Amino acid sequence: MIRLILRHAAIAPLALLAACLSAPAWADGPTLDRGDTAWMLTSTALVLLMTIPGLALFYGGMVRKMNVLATIMQSFAVTCLVTVLWMVIGYSIAFTEGNAFFGGLSRFFLAGMGTTAVNTLAPTIPESVYMCFQMTFAIITPALIAGSFADRMKFSALVWFMSLWLVLVYSPVAHMVWGPGGWLGSSGVLDYAGGTVVHINAGVAGLVCALVLGKRHGYPKVPFPPHNLVLTVIGASLLWVGWFGFNAGSAVAADVRAGMAMASTQIATAAAALAWMFAEWLVKGKPSLLGIASGAVAGLVAVTPASGFVLPSGALVIGIAAGVLCFFASTSLKNALGYDDSLDAFGVHAIGGIIGALLTGVFATMAVTGATDPVGWIDGHAGQVITQIKGIAVTIVYDAIVSLVILWVIDKTLGLRVSEDIEREGLDLGLHGEVVP
Amino acid sequence: MIRLILRHAAIAPLALLAACLSAPAWADGPTLDRGDTAWMLTSTALVLLMTIPGLALFYGGMVRKMNVLATIMQSFAVTCLVTVLWMVIGYSIAFTEGNAFFGGLSRFFLAGMGTTAVNTLAPTIPESVYMCFQMTFAIITPALIAGSFADRMKFSALVWFMSLWLVLVYSPVAHMVWGPGGWLGSSGVLDYAGGTVVHINAGVAGLVCALVLGKRHGYPKVPFPPHNLVLTVIGASLLWVGWFGFNAGSAVAADVRAGMAMASTQIATAAAALAWMFAEWLVKGKPSLLGIASGAVAGLVAVTPASGFVLPSGALVIGIAAGVLCFFASTSLKNALGYDDSLDAFGVHAIGGIIGALLTGVFATMAVTGATDPVGWIDGHAGQVITQIKGIAVTIVYDAIVSLVILWVIDKTLGLRVSEDIEREGLDLGLHGEVVP
Amino acid sequence: MIRLILRHAAIAPLALLAACLSAPAWADGPTLDRGDTAWMLTSTALVLLMTIPGLALFYGGMVRKMNVLATIMQSFAVTCLVTVLWMVIGYSIAFTEGNAFFGGLSRFFLAGMGTTAVNTLAPTIPESVYMCFQMTFAIITPALIAGSFADRMKFSALVWFMSLWLVLVYSPVAHMVWGPGGWLGSSGVLDYAGGTVVHINAGVAGLVCALVLGKRHGYPKVPFPPHNLVLTVIGASLLWVGWFGFNAGSAVAADVRAGMAMASTQIATAAAALAWMFAEWLVKGKPSLLGIASGAVAGLVAVTPASGFVLPSGALVIGIAAGVLCFFASTSLKNALGYDDSLDAFGVHAIGGIIGALLTGVFATMAVTGATDPVGWIDGHAGQVITQIKGIAVTIVYDAIVSLVILWVIDKTLGLRVSEDIEREGLDLGLHGEVVP
Amino acid sequence: MKLVMAIIKPFKLDEVREALTALGVQGLTVTEARGFGRQKGHTEIYRGAEYAVNFVPKIKLEIAVSNDLVERVVDTILKTAATGRIGDGKIFVFDMMQAVRIRTGDRNEEAL
Amino acid sequence: MKLVMAIIKPFKLDEVREALTALGVQGLTVTEARGFGRQKGHTEIYRGAEYAVNFVPKIKLEIAVSNDLVERVVDTILKTAATGRIGDGKIFVFDMMQAVRIRTGDRNEEAL
Amino acid sequence: MKLVMAIIKPFKLDEVREALTALGVQGLTVTEARGFGRQKGHTEIYRGAEYAVNFVPKIKLEIAVSNDLVERVVDTILKTAATGRIGDGKIFVFDMMQAVRIRTGDRNEEAL
Ligand SMILES: Nc1ncnc2c1ncn2[C@@H]1O[C@H](COP(=O)(O)OP(=O)(O)O)[C@@H](O)[C@H]1O
Ligand SMILES: Nc1ncnc2c1ncn2[C@@H]1O[C@H](COP(=O)(O)OP(=O)(O)O)[C@@H](O)[C@H]1O
Ligand SMILES: Nc1ncnc2c1ncn2[C@@H]1O[C@H](COP(=O)(O)OP(=O)(O)O)[C@@H](O)[C@H]1O
């Protein structure tokens, strides 16, 4: 979503002023706009579609058949858990006034979120819609982590880990970057739709999980081929389509900025998909469907922080960089370092997120934001790249430490991994008593 | 969709007034709002998505492989049949002026539904959009029934049953609850998006079908395990996402009420999914994917009548109640009574719908509707619960009797059930000449 | 999308005038409408959904299992290729000022498409949104062609063919019909959402491909049964849902015209699906799922050029005609003539498109367009049918010749077909090194 | 020892297995198969193209038994798998030279 | 009686079945199998990880025949299933002690 | 010649195949099977209905070998396929009368 700070500094006051002047006299109150509301209701549906069934299928197709239901269950259960936790406390921590690190408790159990409530971060839509929209971001982020420890985590451990992570990592980081008075946002870090908050955050937590849980039995000697790439491509496609809600929805309005974000998203995604595909074709001899789909996701990830800040040409460069670099991260780098990030939560989301966050510092421009001062390096403001590095570094360090602590506690109490028998016979049967015959 | 009566009594006059005052001078006519229209076009697409492919997959994944195409065919064919019948006569019966039970024939073959037509139930959008939106409700309702008689009904019998049921049951019930001058709506029954009209209606008809058609051969001795829960979860996920169009779309506007309906929907659904999952974990020892997905659908069903009337906290309670009670209805109750409601059309939709309709009477509140008089029990108006019971009872009785008559006539003429051979070899091949190898 | 010429001649000036008068003072500039923008952002997402995963699955389910990934890869790769080419040059050729056949280069690499850009063809939304919306049309059209040569084209040949075809055929034809000053549009050819530009264009190119590449080994003696009609129906359903963005989105506004287009689309689709189903039931003895789904697609195709021009009753007739005639084209006609149009790109898209384009000339009416002069034959203007024939003929001839040349060049250089071994062992493994086990 | 191979209709599997267990058979192995014989296949139609499927789904059972059990096993299958309609299947009996239980290395009758 | 087991390339199935029918064979049973032998498998690549698949899809035919037909059945398979390329498969012949038709209880030659 | 049929746990397939190759076995054929025996199946639960699955996934190997290799083949399988837990499977040995290589028409030992 939009960094309000910057928006304020530039186009927003005008918009607000205009909104006040035009003052359509709806019963909703003077500032709500039904076009914006229509788009944000739609965006919320689109972003939910990304997790269920999008991500569930993207991941589900990549595991072996005996684990497909358990993998899908992870996304589905996270969706439900986060919804309730977000209502209870997450939204309040992330998006209400508090200090530079945490919000307050004014929206505990959504208290006071009645028909007249509006969050100043989204002045033209009902707060209920903004809360739901943000909820879908809070849902997909922990769900992404699960790609790193596929095939081996206990379901009970997952329930605890995801719940704690949402409250202790996601919500505070969202507050720091996007929340009112958040530390990183105030420092000028640019993150349009979640390069740091969502992707680096999820990818780094994923790496920590992969390292703490250890490799799957037999990895890397035994191969773990995807059991059904049709599911994976359905998932990748729904991620792509839903991402319009993610990025263009982060304008929190049906305006020009949303349009630019949509165009950037589409272009970077296609460019990254082709870049990965051609890189693989060159290096491995064949262009693969898993490759082009993975490239598309890498592009979506990388353009996320940049989408409402860059021109289409900038998006093209970001896409190509993400496609090529994530290809190497998910193949050569992973093999060289030897960790078992099973479905490349780190290789795609953390690496793609870092590329995107850095290049946002390069390509963000007044031509899109409407700011009067230079924004990114391309405008002559090289310092923005440094600011971006700060945002990346803080997210990585905070996330890694807290994730490690949570995992450690669960490991010492419940235990993190399933038994070797369940790992061999399949999580579907072992954890959930179901199979796909 | 919204009960206009109540709306009139409360927030609507204001809105209408405001709409007139602000009078945007579009060529569309003075009262149309493009934000509302955008959201209702989108909602229509979302609700269609619920039936095809949503419900088709939700049901298709639960049957045995040899019946998957026939099951999907049911949803698809119902979509086509109802579309044409709705255009011919259904919409006119349900949503035009008539008496307390049936509408008139003024929109027979959609006569007069040109570019200037507006239905007073949806004053800010073109009537063509309202007709399409309502059509998607008319589509999913009969399609839901098919879950109860999976694996055994003749396709020709289904075509006749669904057509007659739409005209003789769905359209009149929709008129009674939502239509202009409809009996139940005027009596104060609250049904925001279709707890009675859609879910109780479909679920009860389903039970009647299950009883009249009888059990599948071998039931319950022979097990009928779902052949592919991946399909079922894709279906459940699309139902969930599409349900935003169903519930938030029932505001017929992109306004605060739509936002509150969306929030309630999301919260109740997640709560019900978790409630079913934990109940199953406790009782059966393992949390299952089919369980959490069934719980989500139960929650969606239960929050349907309540969505635009209750606060998030009310939605949370509704969700938990629906998850736990539908779990018992679809497992213990069904087994105890011994009917073969194959995919739990009754256990989830009728039971969930009843829970929702009752709790709407409890949790509906002025805080959401903007009414000046107390709405539900929580506002101090306990009588609303009685009114709700009346709505439930009338729907059940009317529906059960007419469904029974329709089934009886078809049974005596065409016959309802496929031959035992087709039942054993699979409906896909026997009825449609196709298989999934 | 709407033919602006006609729109200008009728309702548009009023709308523009009104828009100017009401002049909402958004910061976006005086003419942008957030309701329209919301709907067009949504429509863009819906139309993308049609290709990935919609068309990918529709086609993927119909081929044999060993080719499913390669078939899906075609849709996915075309999506990526066209996105980049559209950004580079396609949009500029199609939708900027130039001559009667080609646009100019003013939007080369989307130069100048900043935050204030508006295309006069879509005056109430940001140009970035219009460009993205049109991009999704440019994506699906070449992707449709691939149905005709399933199971046998080299991937490298496909990359070249699709890229050249987009630039040399699609973009100019789009300009001629829809572009500013385009020849066919100026001559009065009516094509609301792409009967000629998309469907006849894709279908005819498909036939040329099928003829040039030749039959699959063994065709028609060896049967090629679809490996998974579940995928095909998911695809057909997503095509249907997404088509609301295609047709109602072609109003480029959330207005009455969009509503009428949505209603026509829904009705024609259902009618065509039933018509195909009943025709098959009569002729072959069983109604099939592939049949009803194919009929739905035929109806969607046929109503495409007509959607914003006809009344619901006209749509009903168009649907029935398309269902019956495409059924015969894809079965009897294809068998009689002996070409191997594997997935009926010609039989459904070209034939359906031609039926739709002709009947648009018959049923287009002032009652929907708001024009003051008669529009179609039904209004008394029989000459419109002649004009429609001209549009069809020009598209067919231009498309066939240029497609033939492109294929000839690729055949002489790269070669078009895979080796017989790869054809037998499967394209998934042979071209992409992947399989669905 | 003998190996009894039976080709039966899929929906008879559970019944046959239960009857054999009652008889004292301790184990068996099952494979999905397709059969061609007197029983006709079916016709599928896809976009008007008719496609004759000559093979019918069958289940193949393989049961290693000691010599004295063979006849009773054959009779039991004969009784439980028969429906009297074409396509009920066949029973074939083969001589078996050796049997080994992998877990223990037990040989022959011990291994069954 | 003998049981002829043939392992062939999948795309040869229909041709072989037709040839055998022409010869008078009344029935046979087919199973999907995977073969390992001189014919190489293939390599799949997923996110850069190469994965050697050593097994090749094959079809296993089992045909119970009377003694006098055996040689002609073997020859027919040999002729129709051969492509001359590595991996064409094998034919194995076994002695069969008993055959029973489940539907009728017919024994031996009668049962085939 | 003999045909060795082994029923093993699926995850042991690669290990067994490698050991047999090391021994000089040139080919074998594999089929997916389901086994019933001392090893218990499992219970699945769908909407509260418990569903006992009595069959356990197994892999069936068929290896045609010359007489002198038989014992070593059996021993090798015995060693590599064993885990010591119930359900490790069985090895059955049959006499084989003829073997033919389809590609060349080679007979018997030549054909293996
Ligand atoms: N000669 C044979 N060899 C192997 N299997 C056979 C043979 N004949 C029949 N079968 C198997 O037995 C099944 C039933 O045979 P079929 O001729 O259809 O009916 P029936 O046994 O009732 O006469 C076939 O589908 C096939 O699997
Ligand atoms: N000794 C064997 N025992 C059982 N099956 C075998 C044996 N050798 C080969 N096969 C089967 O025959 C198939 C073809 O054998 P292969 O060695 O690849 O080619 P060819 O028979 O042409 O020399 C193998 O894939 C396998 O299924
Ligand atoms: N008599 C038999 N005939 C054929 N297959 C058998 C027989 N007994 C066991 N099997 C196969 O061997 C497998 C293992 O047998 P089981 O009794 O479970 O364990 P174990 O061999 O360790 O005692 C079974 O799943 C089945 O496939």
Side-chain angles (χ1 to χ4, degrees), chain B residues 25-26 34 83 115 128 432 434 437, chain C residues 18 33 36 256 259 266 287 289-290:
Chain B
W26 301 122
R34 291 186 175 216
T83 296
T115 48
S128 51
H432 307 294
E434 300 165 304
Chain C
D33 180 87
D36 289 351
V256 171
Q266 178 71 12
L289 183 56
L290 180 58

Side-chain angles (χ1 to χ4, degrees), chain D residues 69-90:
Chain D
L69 255 182
V70 175
E71 270 318 298
R72 273 182 294 156
V73 164
V74 170
D75 285 350
T76 303
I77 297 175
L78 209 48
K79 248 179 288 161
T80 46
T83 67
R85 297 168 68 182
I86 290 182
D88 276 351
K90 314 279 175 189

